[in-house]
Amino acid sequence: METGKKKKIAILTGGGDAPGLNAVIYSLTKTCILKYGYEVIGYRFGYRGLLLNEYKPLTLETISGILHKGGSILCSSNKHNLFDFPLKDENGDFVRDENGNIVKRDVSDVAIENLKKDGVDVLVVLGGDGSLTSARDFSKKGVNVIGVPKTIDNDLKATDVTFGFNTAVNICTEALGRVHTTAESHHRVIIVEVMGRNAGWIALHSGIAGSADVILIPEIPYKLENIVAKIEERDRRGKPFSIIVVSEGAKEEGGSQVINKIVEDSPDAVRLGGIAHKLSYQLEQLIDDEHEVRPVVLGHTQRGGETSPYDRILSARYGSYAAHMIAEGRFGEMVCLKGSEITSIPFDEVIGGQRLVDPNCELIQVARNMGISFGDEPIK
Ligand code: F6P
């Protein structure tokens, strides 16, 4: 950095949005401006903004009032891996090879040129596994990068908690409470499908907090007969209704995950979804006519609206810590939570491998001890 020049920090929010993005932007920007006297800008739509050089100044005025709000004032995208970027022709159509696959190329140098042109000294990436992988790759190319772990799925292996997860759990827990009363009124089985990709954290936490009778997660394949047995057991105990929370990535023993759609130009192309409807149909064939089954898919409600107080605080801590890292010149690392302490970890230890639920962990045992079924064991 030139001496005498005000340090310039750029922020981008990559991947699917998560409640807490704005709180990190708020805390980081405020700390950068008020404590350190830096200038801050934000690239729009994640790495797309970096490629197209679309950004806006982040000032005390432009960030005013955003801390509690979900979403991202910078907008986000889960499609723009600049190291493996889909090529388009002059008509805007994807260029394809002889096998029909989209042709991709590395356009990261364009982004690096933009950073230089804009006089950016440090790039802070708020993202999940995909965005942080690119952050690591930019760091390897000499860019000063800091990562902040975001995702409602809570599946990043290098931090105890990602921001966004707590809000999603709160929303799912509230939904489970709401379907309880209607399920009870109609003597129905209600299946609530939650997000999480290949990790069952949202289902596990909300299922326990929301008193689900059955929790189905990707890490523990289920058998239909065990779910039916649980519904019948409740019936015999005078509880002629049941609540099932199913993670979008859950699957039957020997079966496969239900895919909703393939987003071809996204680095992680598979979008899961649809298991609640599938399961609903299957269970209706197997249980008596007294109990209708209804699927409820919470979908993107889990990422929207207001950020929970826990996530606001976690995000504020992450943002503030990232600003201190900039001041100390600590780059190539991601901010993380270890126990109750905010610290940081090198990108190489962050990338690859998801943090999944250990089927033998304490929380699973806690649930089992309370009679919650995971669909894997027969009812005793
Ligand atoms: O990773 C966050 C997440 O919400 C997942 O839980 C879900 O599978 C996916 O993103 C949905 O992606 P999209 O926003 O593209 O529908």
Side-chain angles (χ1 to χ4, degrees), residues 55-351:
Y55 63 86
K56 63 180 192 182
L58 294 174
T59 63
L60 297 181
E61 288 71 37
T62 57
I63 60 157
S64 173
I66 66 166
L67 180 129
H68 61 287
K69 290 183 183 161
S72 165
I73 59 158
L74 295 176
C75 301
S76 197
S77 162
N78 52 11
K79 287 192 176 174
H80 297 87
N81 179 355
L82 304 188
F83 292 86
D84 199 24
F85 193 72
L87 262 187
K88 283 190 177 169
D89 62 21
E90 58 282 359
N91 302 319
D93 297 324
F94 291 120
V95 177
R96 294 180 186 274
D97 63 17
E98 58 280 11
N99 300 318
N101 298 319
I102 296 177
V103 175
K104 296 178 178 175
R105 66 178 171 159
D106 182 345
V107 294
S108 60
D109 284 341
V110 179
I112 292 175
E113 271 314 303
N114 286 338
L115 287 168
K116 283 188 190 146
K117 209 160 49 191
D118 298 337
V120 171
D121 299 293
V122 182
L123 176 67
V124 183
V125 173
L126 283 48
D129 197 47
S131 307
L132 292 169
T133 303
S134 291
R136 189 258 329 257
D137 296 342
F138 275 114
S139 165
K140 282 193 169 154
K141 291 186 91 166
V143 179
N144 294 330
V145 193
I146 291 172
V148 184
K150 162 243 67 162
T151 166
I152 63 163
D153 305 336
N154 204 28
D155 62 353
L156 282 180
K157 67 173 186 181
T159 183
D160 289 355
V161 188
T162 56
F163 69 82
F165 172 64
N166 178 269
T167 307
V169 169
N170 288 353
I171 292 165
C172 297
T173 304
E174 199 212 323
L176 288 169
R178 288 181 184 277
V179 298
H180 254 98
T181 52
T182 172
E184 191 166 5
S185 305
H186 288 272
H187 290 186
R188 279 177 175 159
V189 174
I190 296 194
I191 305 173
V192 179
E193 178 177 316
V194 301
M195 285 181 164
R197 289 201 302 172
N198 301 315
W201 294 110
I202 298 176
L204 178 61
H205 281 243
S206 63
I208 293 175
S211 293
D213 306 298
V214 179
I215 299 175
L216 304 175
I217 60 174
E219 296 87 344
I220 306 181
Y222 59 84
K223 278 187 177 166
L224 286 172
E225 65 207 53
N226 295 332
I227 303 172
V228 173
K230 178 68 187 171
I231 294 166
E232 289 173 350
E233 179 243 3
R234 282 179 53 78
D235 221 356
R236 285 194 298 280
R237 286 194 293 108
K239 296 280 182 188
F241 67 97
S242 289
I243 305 298
I244 301 173
V245 56
V246 59
S247 182
E248 61 181 0
K251 54 180 184 288
E252 211 177 330
E253 224 178 87
S256 49
Q257 292 178 323
V258 182
I259 293 173
N260 174 28
K261 68 188 288 196
I262 299 291
V263 184
E264 216 189 351
D265 56 332
S266 174
D268 190 0
V270 174
R271 294 292 178 275
L272 297 168
I275 185 147
H277 284 81
K278 180 180 172 188
L279 199 55
S280 167
Y281 175 78
Q282 289 173 316
L283 288 179
E284 267 198 343
Q285 317 299 308
L286 297 172
I287 58 175
D288 60 62
D289 295 342
E290 289 298 301
H291 303 89
E292 287 186 46
V293 187
R294 290 283 192 275
V296 174
V297 181
L298 297 185
H300 294 83
T301 60
Q302 293 161 89
R303 295 191 340 211
E306 298 234 321
T307 305
S308 73
Y310 177 93
D311 275 334
R312 294 180 203 183
I313 290 166
L314 179 65
S315 302
R317 293 177 76 197
Y318 279 161
S320 176
Y321 195 89
H324 302 326
M325 285 171 70
I326 296 169
E328 291 163 15
R330 281 162 52 203
F331 305 120
E333 300 195 349
M334 182 191 83
V335 182
C336 62
L337 180 74
K338 288 286 169 202
S340 58
E341 200 194 331
I342 304 285
T343 176
S344 67
I345 183 163
F347 278 135
D348 277 335
E349 292 173 42
V350 172
I351 307 308

